[in-house]
Amino acid sequence: MSPAKKKRIGVFICHCGKNIAGGLNIEALIESSKQIQEVLYVVDNKFSCSEDGQVDIQKAIQEQKLDRIVVAACSPSLHLMTFQRCGEKAGIEPQFVDLIDIRKWTMHGSPQKIAPEKALEKSKKLIELAVKRMRLKRLIPMAEIKTEQSALVIGGGVAGLEAGLDLADKGYKVHIVERLSTIGGKMALLYKVFPTNDCAPCILAPKTAYANIHPNITLLTNSEVKSMGGHIGSFHVKVVQNPRYIDTDKCTGCGECVEKCPVKVKDDVFSAGMGERKAVYIPYDQAIPKKAIIDAQNCLYFRKGVCRLCEKQCPTNAINFGQKPKTVEIKIGAIIVATGFDEYDPTEKSEYGYGRYNNVITQFQLARLLDIDGPTKGQLLRPSDGKEPKRIVMIQCVGSRDMSTNPYCSNICCMYALKHAQIIKEMVLPEAEIYICFIDMRTVGKGFEEYYRRTREIGINFIRGRPSEIIQDTETKNLSLKVEDPEIGRLLKLEADLVVLSCATIPSSGTEQLSKILGLNLGEDGFFKEMHPKLRPVETNVRGIYICGSDQGPKDIPDSIVQAKAAASCADGELRKNKIKLPQFIVNASKLKKGGR
Amino acid sequence: MEEVYVEEFMSPGCVGCPAVREMLEEFSKELGDKLTVEEVDITVDTTRASQYGVMSVPAIAINGILKFVNVPKKEELKNAILEELERQE
């Protein structure tokens, strides 16, 4: 074979104003870069990404006949595309344009900032490595593939529904996979939503109802994603539909089976443990699809081989005890992940006695109690004795902003505490005294500050301070708390009939497993990690898979909707091309063995 | 110009990655300057992983071409590296 053709490599070093130039010796970096094998041209730019900077790069490519370039500047997730487009315009194959981040070591405020000498040494090495990588890099053979005109949405909460409906309205076939037996997610169980105090299921219903009848949407409830293969444009997903033991084509949702069922169990999911349901049940009146489901763990027939009352009662013969899990294989072009959040379980915060003291509940449980269609039909009665509480204390930031549990702020807890305080005061127990113990009230959002002000005006008491401990009176089951209010410099002792913990939002159970199935990165907080926290908040490390809503981080409904629309727009942007170019080896990936991640 | 640049895609907690690391360290000793190995943590350098379409680790690219998305047999990996060395001669 003849010797490999010499490459003509250019290195462009960006000052990024003072962000890089202020933190290392650019002249020294230029000199060392000139010494690297097959580097023909080295120059610095004040701002490589600026119009002038890009023109300079293009001029150099043409005048020096460069065939590969390395730009030493900032993060590839931010600007690689910029420089690839810039190089392509001057005639360089985008694959032969590389961007390396040297700014992380020099920029003020960067967590990785180091001393100038060290930054210079590290930058020298990184440029050397990148040049070598570019010098030896062979062109990746590309293949053109047709994109499936369909998408999968994982999660049937408000974010997933919004994304699914957007795509379905654009003409794509959409499969919505929901783990529970009904779509609607957490929003359907919130009773009311801030800052308008609208009825949550009422404003959600247009979306759930539309998703149910949309000609382009297939709902797969009681289902879970089990495996995924393929690539953008052509993902292959296996979904397992768990048995309902009900023939959904026959079930009319009349509820006669529910009425006859003799087994009552605590409803941990749809009543947050505040009420009961039968072993055969319909989650709630607005459930979609409104079909019954049998809980095999508690059904007498599955446990002991007796009963079958539901079967005898059903007017349409819809009960089918022989149903098995069914695997559905779906081929789609893009995936949107909208798996939402769970409420933090405060049992580990033993100082608050949750799980030991019946009268300590969470805000999500309170939402279910306040719901006029909930387990207590809107009556707020304390769990220990069924009496109306006269004094209620809410504790903010339980499991949030807490280094021993979750350091992040859960974003929505201040607002939902205000909402519940307003509902109790104005609609349920006007005479009740309500106290909110907080660290800071964070009410950032349209109409939120006004909502906070209104909550103060209607007589809710605010105490700046986090109670250290809750003690229960063993006879009355009343609770006492001590909290130091620095604003008045006093230790306050509060007596309460009911304590409500404003718990953190955490990634929904199964997030980690799903991240492994889809190959998605998770952040340190356990939520799905976006491609760039500011500029690419719904894209992920896997092209063609997008995230939205609370699975990316705690957020309220409007923000979830915005993200859902963004994710749908990103998916549409790729799918509408009809054909996309991908590396040949990605297309042929099925021929390669799958790895062990 | 007998050189090979290996990008070793890994992530913290990856079960198969240490085996690949071990093999590459051994080949590095054997091949000296001819072999450059770069460890790419796909949880940090998401763009690089995305460009290559790496969705599972370990994965190995040799001179810019993704060759393995698993733990290869030692012989397979060595042959792939040697083939690349010969290819450029």
Side-chain angles (χ1 to χ4, degrees):
Chain A
M1 269 189 176
S2 58
K5 191 188 155 200
K6 286 231 171 205
K7 308 295 182 312
R8 301 179 67 83
I9 303 174
V11 175
F12 299 87
I13 299 168
C14 180
H15 291 213
C16 194
K18 287 282 177 203
N19 282 326
I20 295 172
L24 59 72
N25 184 340
I26 297 279
E27 282 304 314
L29 199 56
I30 294 172
E31 284 314 307
S32 69
S33 300
K34 282 180 180 168
Q35 310 307 315
I36 304 170
Q37 190 181 347
E38 293 181 37
V39 168
L40 275 188
Y41 184 77
V42 183
V43 76
D44 56 328
N45 302 109
K46 195 173 177 194
F47 288 104
S48 298
C49 62
S50 69
E51 193 179 352
D52 293 345
Q54 292 194 51
V55 167
D56 286 349
I57 292 173
Q58 287 165 359
K59 260 191 201 167
I61 290 170
Q62 284 162 347
E63 286 171 11
Q64 304 293 325
K65 297 189 171 47
L66 302 176
D67 54 14
R68 287 154 202 239
I69 64 167
V70 170
V71 183
C74 55
S75 165
S77 68
L78 186 65
H79 261 317
L80 180 61
M81 291 287 278
T82 310
F83 294 110
Q84 284 184 330
R85 287 190 196 109
C86 165
E88 193 174 22
K89 210 172 166 194
I92 289 194
E93 161 61 43
Q95 290 183 39
F96 293 141
V97 175
D98 204 0
L99 171 65
I100 52 167
D101 185 4
I102 58 169
R103 194 179 65 172
K104 62 188 171 195
W105 296 314
T106 58
M107 186 168 67
H108 283 300
S110 164
Q112 289 157 278
K113 191 175 187 308
I114 46 176
E117 311 78 53
K118 282 188 180 169
L120 178 62
E121 281 318 300
K122 278 185 171 265
S123 301
K124 279 181 184 176
K125 278 186 191 151
L126 202 60
I127 291 175
E128 201 177 323
L129 211 58
V131 166
K132 196 177 221 183
R133 191 166 62 239
M134 280 292 111
R135 176 163 64 79
L136 296 169
K137 187 178 174 69
R138 285 202 277 132
L139 194 64
I140 301 170
M142 303 295 277
E144 193 172 66
I145 62 134
K146 201 172 174 304
T147 53
E148 296 287 335
Q149 296 299 294
S150 55
L152 168 69
V153 177
I154 307 173
V158 65
L161 291 172
E162 186 69 25
L165 285 167
D166 264 18
L167 287 171
D169 279 345
K170 287 181 167 74
Y172 301 105
K173 294 286 176 198
V174 177
H175 304 267
I176 299 179
V177 172
E178 169 55 51
R179 184 166 56 176
L180 297 178
S181 58
T182 171
I183 56 169
K186 292 282 192 298
M187 184 178 167
L189 305 171
L190 295 180
Y191 179 38
K192 287 184 180 289
V193 287
F194 58 77
T196 52
N197 287 354
D198 277 317
C199 152
C202 310
I203 61 167
L204 179 67
K207 295 189 192 300
T208 51
Y210 190 28
N212 195 32
I213 57 159
H214 202 297
N216 286 340
I217 291 182
T218 306
L219 294 179
L220 294 164
T221 50
N222 214 35
S223 302
E224 290 173 80
V225 170
K226 286 295 172 191
S227 67
M228 188 278 279
H231 46 75
I232 181 170
S234 181
F235 290 108
H236 311 261
V237 174
K238 277 187 186 165
V239 175
V240 171
Q241 277 188 297
N242 294 313
R244 280 175 179 264
Y245 307 105
I246 301 285
D247 184 336
T248 49
D249 291 334
K250 292 180 183 169
C251 178
T252 60
C254 69
E256 288 196 31
C257 55
V258 181
E259 215 165 285
K260 282 286 165 191
C261 177
V263 180
K264 275 187 180 174
V265 290
K266 195 162 84 165
D267 182 1
D268 286 324
V269 178
F270 300 104
S271 297
M274 293 285 103
E276 292 179 326
R277 62 160 169 77
K278 299 286 188 72
V280 58
Y281 65 101
I282 294 169
Y284 45 84
D285 286 341
Q286 299 105 314
I288 284 181
K290 196 179 176 193
K291 309 284 180 188
I293 178 169
I294 294 175
D295 159 15
Q297 275 190 330
N298 290 298
C299 167
L300 285 177
Y301 175 70
F302 283 104
R303 285 179 58 217
K304 298 177 179 172
V306 294
C307 187
R308 302 182 85 141
L309 277 176
C310 53
E311 194 177 38
K312 288 170 200 143
Q313 195 64 26
C314 178
T316 59
N317 296 319
I319 308 292
N320 178 0
F321 289 112
Q323 252 180 17
K324 301 281 178 220
K326 187 174 140 198
T327 301
V328 182
E329 294 193 23
I330 304 171
K331 203 171 177 191
I332 63 268
I335 299 174
I336 292 177
V337 185
T339 48
F341 71 96
D342 280 340
E343 188 183 42
Y344 166 75
D345 177 353
T347 310
E348 67 175 320
K349 303 289 295 177
S350 59
E351 64 270 33
Y352 293 149
Y354 181 80
R356 285 184 288 129
Y357 306 155
N358 284 348
N359 294 331
V360 177
I361 62 170
T362 69
Q363 289 284 5
F364 189 58
Q365 289 178 316
L366 179 61
R368 298 311 300 133
L369 291 178
L370 295 174
D371 190 339
I372 49 170
D373 290 311
T376 57
K377 304 294 173 204
Q379 276 191 299
L380 180 54
L381 306 172
R382 63 182 207 156
S384 69
D385 52 13
K387 288 183 183 163
E388 285 183 352
K390 291 187 173 58
R391 188 179 282 177
I392 301 163
V393 175
M394 297 182 181
I395 303 176
Q396 298 304 107
C397 299
V398 177
S400 292
R401 305 177 69 199
D402 174 355
M403 295 312 285
S404 68
T405 53
N406 301 297
Y408 56 81
C409 167
S410 287
N411 193 309
I412 57 174
C413 330
C414 287
M415 286 302 290
Y416 66 56
L418 297 179
K419 177 190 75 176
H420 288 161
Q422 283 194 12
I423 294 170
I424 296 170
K425 196 74 185 165
E426 294 189 327
M427 302 172 212
V428 185
L429 300 171
E431 300 304 319
E433 277 179 52
I434 304 172
Y435 294 83
I436 298 180
C437 300
F438 68 101
I439 306 174
D440 306 288
M441 288 310 288
R442 295 184 167 178
T443 53
V444 182
K446 191 170 179 176
F448 289 11
E449 187 61 23
E450 294 87 330
Y451 195 80
Y452 175 31
R453 191 184 302 271
R454 206 177 103 66
T455 316
R456 280 187 171 275
E457 283 167 1
I458 62 170
I460 309 300
N461 305 291
F462 288 81
I463 298 171
R464 185 187 284 274
R466 185 147 55 176
S468 53
E469 196 183 8
I470 298 175
I471 294 165
Q472 180 187 256
D473 183 309
T474 47
E475 256 180 52
T476 62
K477 308 295 179 196
N478 287 346
L479 305 156
S480 65
L481 309 87
K482 279 182 188 159
V483 55
E484 188 166 356
D485 187 339
E487 287 188 351
I488 54 171
R490 273 177 54 200
L491 185 69
L492 301 173
K493 198 174 171 205
L494 293 173
E495 297 292 329
D497 302 316
L498 184 71
V499 170
V500 186
L501 307 178
S502 298
C503 294
T505 61
I506 57 170
S508 65
S509 63
T511 299
E512 196 177 345
Q513 194 191 351
L514 188 62
S515 77
K516 285 177 183 160
I517 292 171
L518 302 178
L520 297 182
N521 289 339
L522 296 177
E524 281 177 15
D525 50 15
F527 291 98
F528 287 113
K529 193 176 179 183
E530 62 289 312
M531 196 63 175
H532 190 280
K534 291 207 177 291
L535 300 170
R536 298 170 75 182
V538 299
E539 293 167 76
T540 67
N541 57 301
V542 180
R543 189 176 166 196
I545 304 186
Y546 310 95
I547 48 176
C548 62
S550 300
D551 64 6
Q552 184 254 354
K555 57 179 66 64
D556 62 13
I557 294 163
D559 284 354
S560 295
I561 295 281
V562 169
Q563 271 207 334
K565 287 188 169 297
S569 172
C570 286
D572 174 44
E574 293 280 20
L575 297 180
R576 65 166 53 236
K577 293 173 190 164
N578 280 312
K579 285 177 182 174
I580 51 171
K581 278 187 177 176
L582 292 174
Q584 183 73 55
F585 53 70
I586 295 179
V587 179
N588 294 344
S590 54
K591 292 177 189 165
L592 298 167
K593 281 185 184 173
K594 290 280 170 200
R597 187 182 197 225
Chain B
M1 194 187 73
E2 292 182 331
E3 280 182 280
V4 170
Y5 195 99
V6 170
E7 287 159 276
E8 176 203 346
F9 293 95
M10 48 71 70
S11 70
C14 155
V15 181
C17 296
V20 173
R21 177 103 289 253
E22 206 175 299
M23 286 185 235
L24 288 169
E25 274 172 10
E26 192 184 319
F27 300 152
S28 285
K29 280 181 196 155
E30 215 173 292
L31 296 167
D33 290 346
K34 290 179 183 176
L35 177 63
T36 304
V37 179
E38 184 189 5
E39 201 175 63
V40 184
D41 182 342
I42 67 164
T43 63
V44 177
D45 196 344
T46 48
T47 307
R48 182 103 64 96
S50 177
Q51 277 190 307
Y52 281 87
V54 170
M55 286 168 72
S56 64
V57 286
I60 303 162
I62 302 178
N63 285 353
I65 307 288
L66 195 65
K67 293 275 186 180
F68 300 98
V69 284
N70 58 354
V71 182
K73 284 182 188 158
K74 203 167 159 185
E75 277 304 301
E76 281 178 334
L77 179 56
K78 192 169 183 181
N79 286 341
I81 292 170
L82 293 176
E83 266 174 35
E84 197 63 21
L85 280 172
E86 282 165 19
R87 205 191 66 81
Q88 291 182 357
E89 279 176 353

